[in-house]
Amino acid sequence: MDLAALEGEIQRLADRARAGGLQLTGEGGLLGRLTKLVTEAELQGETDDHLGYGKHDPAGRNGGNSRNGTRAKTVLTEAGPVQIAVPRDREASFEPTIVKKRQRRLTGVDDLVISLSAKGLTHGEISAHLAEVYGAEVSKQTLSTITDRVIEGMAEWQNRPLDAVYLVIFIDCINVKIRDGQVANRPIYVALAVTVDGTREVLGLWAGEHGDGEGAKFWPRVLSEIRNRGTQDVCIVVCDGLKGLPDAIAQVWPQTIVQTCIVHLLRNSFRYAPQKDWSALAKDLKPVYTAPSEQAALDRFAEFSDKWEQRYPAIIRLWTNAWAEFVPFLQFDTQIRTIICTTNAIESINARIRRAVNARGHFPNEQAALKCVYLAITSLDPTGTGRKRWSNRWKKALNAFEITFDGRLSVGRT
């Protein structure tokens, strides 16, 4: 079918749909027929290019290879199953590109499956969705094969070059259940950075190892990987009591300040008290972490201890043990403190990851878990830019970082 005939057929179908004689979706619907027309027209064009002449063109007579009819093939599309006629040639040398041999789904369907998976739907839910909306039966194994397409992209993403300097890197942990002989919790670590331009960037994902996933062997490898990808310096690393991490940071980036996560410290404090006391505890702890100096913080913490130690000694011990990693926070300008304590970006990522992880229950292996987490992260950034503003008042924060970390922000910049 030439272009004029194709346009005429499309117009005819559109006119019929407007007149109410043709449904948009469903079996025999407008979208399905349009998909069939366009796909078959493209296949005919590919055949013309392959043979070197058009259909019914006299130039093809007695010229060697020629058309040899068509074969019917049903492909799954976003409009549902569509039967198309695929041209054949006598030498069987024609290799279609729009619908390759043995291909049973058009690209849009694969993208749809990956998108639904990234939003946290299980393979069973996606299969049910495709059956309900498109009338297509797709097995869980097929869905798994489709989502495996992202593994190559995930490897490229995990090894991409990074900025020379980051102002802050937040390292957080998501626990997943992996069936390795028996189901057991395994940590997956997410590194989220704040760039010099004031945007956020997820640097990578790392699955913790059995037993020493947070120990002396693991963290030097992770941080060295980040450094080898181009990161020469980090001003502040914010983490939550990860064993072996501060020592590894000192080896890889000697000037970096290790800061405990204030938000996690507060949340961990509430674990030891009933909810009715949370507001009072938060009110009494605020003067500690907003104090203008370490001495002022010590004085406020002493007042907090006098009031609460008898009832909640575990909270006092928690803050005492974390004090060395908490203290650096007090030396920073208010603008820097705000950047460190602004957790909306972290929470949005963690919430999406946990929703996707919890929907699946457990994973057969580490790669499946990493794939799930990666899909959840990419669903927050469908454009692939990954550069969303961390703070609306970035210029003030940047000035504060420039003064505090004099000369370090320009490393690697021209």
Side-chain angles (χ1 to χ4, degrees):
M1 182 181 296
D2 60 26
L3 181 60
L6 176 62
E7 291 176 345
E9 182 65 14
I10 291 174
Q11 185 61 52
R12 185 184 68 78
L13 290 172
D15 291 343
R16 181 178 168 187
R18 279 196 299 271
L22 186 64
Q23 294 181 343
L24 182 64
T25 59
E27 186 176 354
L30 174 62
L31 292 181
R33 293 194 181 192
L34 289 176
T35 301
K36 176 180 174 67
L37 281 171
V38 173
T39 303
E40 289 182 346
E42 174 63 21
L43 287 169
Q44 290 292 347
E46 290 183 11
T47 306
D48 292 348
D49 291 341
H50 177 69
L51 296 176
Y53 64 90
K55 193 173 184 179
H56 307 305
D57 189 335
R61 293 175 183 172
N62 303 317
N65 196 13
S66 62
R67 285 174 168 79
N68 189 29
T70 61
R71 60 182 177 84
K73 180 176 183 176
T74 300
V75 292
L76 178 60
T77 75
E78 291 171 283
V82 173
Q83 188 176 83
I84 59 175
V86 180
R88 298 186 300 182
D89 62 328
R90 293 193 180 279
E91 295 180 357
S93 58
F94 175 51
E95 295 280 352
T97 57
I98 189 172
V99 183
K100 295 181 174 60
K101 289 183 177 179
R102 293 177 292 279
Q103 181 181 345
R104 295 296 177 183
R105 304 176 306 276
L106 295 188
T107 304
V109 174
D110 287 13
D111 294 340
L112 174 63
V113 168
I114 290 173
S115 175
L116 293 173
S117 181
K119 288 177 171 55
L121 273 69
T122 65
H123 288 168
E125 291 169 336
I126 296 173
S127 180
H129 173 79
L130 294 175
E132 178 181 354
V133 177
Y134 303 110
E137 297 293 334
V138 183
S139 70
K140 294 181 181 180
Q141 180 57 48
T142 298
L143 295 175
S144 182
T145 301
I146 294 173
T147 56
D148 279 346
R149 279 179 43 203
V150 307
I151 292 175
E152 182 177 346
M154 181 174 69
E156 293 177 359
W157 174 80
Q158 184 75 27
N159 292 291
R160 74 194 188 281
L162 301 177
D163 290 357
V165 178
Y166 289 104
L167 301 185
V168 187
I169 292 180
F170 297 84
I171 297 180
D172 206 357
C173 171
I174 301 292
N175 284 309
V176 301
K177 296 183 184 298
I178 294 178
R179 187 176 63 248
D180 186 8
Q182 59 183 3
V183 177
N185 281 330
R186 290 275 300 278
I188 290 181
Y189 297 98
V190 181
L192 176 66
V194 181
T195 73
V196 175
D197 296 326
T199 55
R200 76 186 195 195
E201 180 181 1
V202 178
L203 305 185
L205 302 172
W206 294 269
E209 301 170 3
H210 291 290
D212 65 346
E214 296 171 301
K217 297 179 181 179
F218 180 75
W219 289 116
R221 176 170 63 82
V222 171
L223 300 185
S224 294
E225 178 185 319
I226 295 175
R227 182 183 59 189
N228 292 339
R229 289 163 62 192
T231 301
Q232 301 174 40
D233 194 12
V234 179
C235 297
I236 305 168
V237 173
V238 179
C239 55
D240 185 26
L242 299 176
K243 183 180 178 183
L245 181 55
D247 291 339
I249 293 171
Q251 294 174 23
V252 177
W253 299 302
Q255 298 183 81
T256 300
I257 295 173
V258 179
Q259 171 66 52
T260 193
C261 179
I262 306 299
V263 175
H264 282 168
L265 195 55
L266 290 169
R267 288 179 180 170
N268 291 337
S269 300
F270 297 152
R271 290 169 50 195
Y272 298 106
Q275 190 170 357
K276 65 183 180 65
D277 286 338
W278 287 2
S279 294
L281 287 166
K283 180 180 178 181
D284 290 345
L285 281 170
K286 188 173 182 179
V288 178
Y289 63 84
T290 58
S293 65
E294 181 179 359
Q295 186 56 53
L298 284 168
D299 294 341
R300 302 294 81 77
F301 185 62
E303 294 170 1
F304 178 85
S305 299
D306 290 342
K307 179 176 179 179
W308 295 101
E309 184 169 20
Q310 187 172 356
R311 296 177 62 184
Y312 304 121
I315 296 178
I316 308 303
R317 183 175 59 192
L318 175 69
W319 279 77
T320 300
N321 292 340
W323 196 263
E325 282 76 38
F326 161 70
V327 168
F329 182 79
L330 302 174
Q331 67 181 281
F332 298 135
D333 180 276
T334 302
Q335 298 297 331
I336 296 179
R337 293 189 187 190
T338 300
I339 296 300
I340 294 175
C341 285
T342 301
T343 60
N344 289 344
I346 302 170
E347 295 306 321
S348 66
I349 290 174
N350 285 348
R352 178 60 61 84
I353 292 173
R354 288 192 175 95
R355 185 158 66 246
V357 166
N358 292 338
R360 285 160 177 76
H362 64 269
F363 300 90
N365 50 54
E366 179 183 294
Q367 186 178 66
L370 286 170
K371 181 176 73 173
C372 173
V373 175
Y374 171 72
L375 282 170
I377 290 173
T378 56
S379 72
L380 290 166
D381 177 34
T383 64
T385 60
R387 300 272 180 164
K388 297 184 180 179
R389 180 66 60 183
W390 184 270
S391 170
N392 292 328
R393 299 179 179 178
W394 180 249
K395 292 301 181 182
K396 290 183 178 180
L398 182 59
N399 276 274
F401 273 101
E402 187 66 61
I403 296 299
T404 303
F405 301 95
D406 185 24
R408 291 171 60 184
L409 274 59
S410 60
V411 172
R413 292 196 160 206
T414 56

